[in-house]
Amino acid sequence: MFLNYYADDAADSVVNLAIARVVVAALGVWKLLSYDWASIRDWPVYANDYYLLLVPRWIQPYLVVEKYLAVVGLVLFALGAAHRYATPVTAVLVAHLGVARYTLDPSGASQALFTIVYLMAFFALYRSQDLLSVDGLRSTDAALTDVRSALRAARDRAAGRETTTPLTLGLLTVAVLYFGSGVTKLVRGPAWEWATPWNLGQYTLWAQTYFGVDPGPGALLLQYPLVVQLAAVAVLVLETGFLPWILAKRDPTPFVVGLLGMHVGIAVVLGPFFLDQIIFLLLFADWARLLRWVGEVSPLPGGRPQGQP
Amino acid sequence: MVDLGQLFPVVVALAFVASAGCLLAAVQRAADPRVRKSFLALFFVGLLTVNLAPFPSLLPFSHLHKYTTTSSNPTTYHDVYLVDAQGDELRYDGDAAPPAGTLIRFGRGIATEYDEPRARATAAHLLEEGRNYRGRIERGRGVDPHADFPPHALGYGWDRDLLAEYDEFVALRVYYVELRYTASGTAIEERDRTLVATYTDDGTLTRNGSQ
């Protein structure tokens, strides 16, 4: 279901790369347009003073302009056009906007802007593999009359590619972010205290009080201390184990499904909603296979005829 | 002796500029596998360092350290409320003060950490933002709340019905909240809150009972 790109089970990665690129770009556009950039300058204080050299007062009025430039860049990135110039420049703009937001909101939602930046950097560096893109198709010699022949041409050219792709590096990066969170819990918790039922129980009660989420699911969970403890251990195992699991070239599906479940559980029981992380994890699904399956179940005009590889 | 704390913002800025420069240069020369490999080595060293070392992120290298310490009993935090002309209190909606979202640190700042002018300016800003956000909700925000990227947390938030119960906002209060749990951590035994700061729209700030 999910692919370990580090283990090179990257069949059809040209299609998956293109889908991942569009999803990352769409997430970036959505976040940039949803967030309020104009009000950053109105704050008399900051959450983190040490990033202010990068977003001094005189720059703050231009953040809105920067947002629109970045949105244009992200649209080009979605199309895979001008990867060499637009993508790295846009990545720097998004990173700078991320720093600006981080001065007031050092939350996971701000952090996610940097994960988008990393993924853009990987696409720009490995643009020669991103063949199902405007750049990739323009560099193809044969005249491409339809999507099918474009796909075939991109696949043929990808046959001799090297094994590292933007998604290999993206998977490692997402895994490192969980690893850092998990190891820090093991060390600072420390693990034997973090994995107690009272620790997660208290966090649940605090979060319910602070975020004001529906107390029903949490109250139900708290009736079963053993389940609470298992959930705490599961968090430590999932966050810490994901990276070694990927490096061991195992099928990542159990970990990805577990982490997705963790995020849904956190949103329902505690309140914080890490939608970005859910989207990043879904980048590693085998979308090409899903599309093929959909094509077989309901043959669409222009879809691949049945029985072809 | 150089104060490392003073130096840190410079290190942060240099790290950002250097990272941006490395990216732009590496992408131009990406056809050379040695360039790609060097960039990736630097990238993962930076990312692992920020993820495993206990200091603030050297952006763009970032981490996702969430709830990394064991929860304490009691748990304490600062909570922000608005007060209407009738004296009724409404808990602040973090979405009113973008991009902050979570206001615990700003409540603590107003109550204890900031000097007087900064505390007053912050309280005034939050009161003003609370009024503006209320106005936007009352005028009808259309599809925005559904089309926008979701807020940090699901749960408490203002809506028209809730706001209709309140008169005009005239003051802001910060409470110091203490949650004490039962030994099993499955229930809140006691919830105490102490008023630690009040800001009224005539510009008066009272902290810990003293002006």
Side-chain angles (χ1 to χ4, degrees):
Chain A
M1 208 150 84
F2 291 91
L3 295 175
N4 187 343
Y5 286 92
Y6 184 74
D8 194 36
D9 46 354
D12 270 330
S13 75
V14 191
V15 176
N16 286 337
L17 267 183
I19 290 172
R21 193 186 67 233
V22 172
V23 170
V24 169
L27 177 65
V29 169
W30 190 20
K31 285 173 76 81
L32 291 191
L33 292 181
S34 297
Y35 290 160
D36 188 336
W37 303 96
S39 58
I40 290 175
R41 62 189 288 206
D42 298 333
W43 280 80
V45 289
Y46 298 92
N48 298 299
D49 285 344
Y50 30 78
Y51 300 118
L52 284 178
L53 275 180
L54 292 165
V55 262
R57 285 274 176 200
W58 65 268
I59 278 185
Q60 292 176 7
Y62 301 106
L63 290 173
V64 176
V65 180
E66 194 178 341
K67 167 187 79 172
Y68 285 114
L69 287 174
V71 166
V72 172
L74 282 165
V75 171
L76 289 175
F77 173 62
L79 298 168
H83 252 341
R84 181 170 180 176
Y85 302 101
T87 301
V89 170
T90 307
V92 173
L93 289 179
V94 174
H96 184 252
L97 286 164
V99 174
R101 191 179 159 87
Y102 217 80
T103 60
L104 282 157
D105 174 40
S107 75
S110 299
Q111 187 283 328
L113 290 168
F114 297 104
T115 304
I116 293 173
V117 169
Y118 310 151
L119 289 162
M120 293 181 78
F122 301 147
F123 270 98
L125 273 180
Y126 285 83
R127 59 185 179 274
S128 60
Q129 296 172 14
D130 190 15
L131 295 166
L132 204 57
S133 63
V134 170
D135 281 0
L137 297 181
R138 275 173 60 193
S139 63
T140 308
D141 301 329
L144 301 169
T145 46
D146 63 316
V147 177
R148 216 178 309 161
S149 59
L151 263 173
R152 202 172 301 133
R155 265 206 208 93
D156 290 346
R157 291 177 62 208
R161 80 204 188 290
E162 60 178 313
T163 53
T164 306
T165 75
L167 284 174
T168 316
L169 302 164
L171 180 62
L172 289 174
T173 299
V174 169
V176 166
L177 289 168
Y178 283 113
F179 185 68
S181 186
V183 168
T184 313
K185 286 184 182 77
L186 292 180
V187 175
R188 288 182 67 195
W192 53 90
E193 282 187 24
W194 206 93
T196 53
W198 55 262
N199 173 49
L200 208 54
Q202 289 179 181
Y203 270 136
T204 304
L205 293 164
W206 175 81
Q208 285 181 342
T209 309
Y210 187 77
F211 296 115
V213 73
D214 176 6
L220 182 68
L221 185 68
L222 287 174
Q223 289 175 16
Y224 306 97
L226 187 65
V227 178
V228 177
Q229 178 150 26
L230 282 175
V233 173
V235 167
L236 296 179
V237 170
L238 287 169
E239 289 195 336
T240 314
F242 189 31
L243 180 63
W245 190 263
I246 295 297
L247 293 176
K249 307 196 171 184
R250 309 293 294 268
D251 175 6
T253 305
F255 272 86
V256 175
V257 170
L259 288 165
L260 288 170
M262 177 183 90
H263 288 303
V264 172
I266 289 171
V268 171
V269 176
L270 287 94
F273 184 28
F274 289 85
L275 179 58
D276 300 282
Q277 289 306 119
I278 292 173
I279 294 171
F280 293 138
L281 288 169
L282 290 177
L283 294 179
F284 308 107
D286 192 353
W287 294 105
R289 196 168 151 199
L290 182 73
L291 287 180
R292 263 201 313 277
W293 179 78
V294 170
E296 281 164 21
V297 173
S298 58
L300 299 167
R304 201 137 28 118
Q306 287 189 26
Q308 280 200 11
Chain B
M1 168 127 183
V2 183
D3 181 0
L4 287 176
Q6 296 280 313
L7 213 58
F8 192 68
V10 180
V11 174
V12 167
L14 287 176
F16 185 90
V17 173
S19 305
C22 282
L23 172 64
L24 295 173
V27 170
Q28 292 317 303
R29 304 191 49 204
D32 183 345
R34 284 171 309 175
V35 170
R36 293 200 301 265
K37 290 211 169 83
S38 312
F39 178 88
L40 293 177
L42 283 172
F43 173 81
F44 281 107
V45 166
L47 192 67
L48 277 166
T49 305
V50 161
N51 268 272
L52 298 177
F55 54 72
S57 297
L58 287 170
L59 298 176
F61 298 104
S62 59
H63 62 67
L64 265 176
H65 295 175
K66 303 292 164 199
Y67 301 88
T68 50
T69 54
T70 302
S71 63
S72 61
N73 188 7
T75 300
T76 59
Y77 61 97
H78 288 83
D79 213 356
V80 181
Y81 285 76
L82 291 173
V83 189
D84 76 358
Q86 306 298 317
D88 290 327
E89 276 180 355
L90 176 65
R91 189 159 177 253
Y92 206 92
D93 179 347
D95 293 342
T102 307
L103 294 181
I104 294 175
R105 60 168 63 78
F106 300 105
R108 184 174 63 232
I110 293 169
T112 63
E113 287 172 5
Y114 302 152
D115 60 26
E116 185 91 14
R118 291 214 316 161
R120 189 178 294 116
T122 308
H125 177 69
L126 292 180
L127 178 56
E128 179 67 18
E129 289 285 79
R131 285 173 174 154
N132 291 340
Y133 185 60
R134 176 183 193 163
R136 288 205 295 281
I137 292 175
E138 286 174 344
R139 282 192 300 276
R141 293 172 67 210
V143 297
D144 275 9
H146 308 290
D148 277 353
F149 193 81
H152 173 60
L154 311 174
Y156 178 77
W158 294 347
D159 58 31
R160 271 179 164 175
D161 293 342
L162 179 64
L163 290 168
E165 297 169 25
Y166 290 85
D167 209 333
E168 192 195 344
F169 297 142
V170 294
L172 179 134
R173 287 181 190 157
V174 180
Y175 284 94
Y176 181 67
V177 184
E178 199 172 320
L179 299 180
R180 261 188 295 278
Y181 313 100
T182 56
S184 61
T186 53
I188 294 174
E189 200 168 60
E190 204 180 336
R191 179 173 177 271
D192 267 350
R193 54 169 216 172
T194 318
L195 180 64
V196 285
T198 305
Y199 173 83
T200 48
D201 60 357
D202 61 4
T204 343
L205 176 74
T206 317
R207 295 205 276 192
N208 290 322
S210 64
Q211 274 199 27

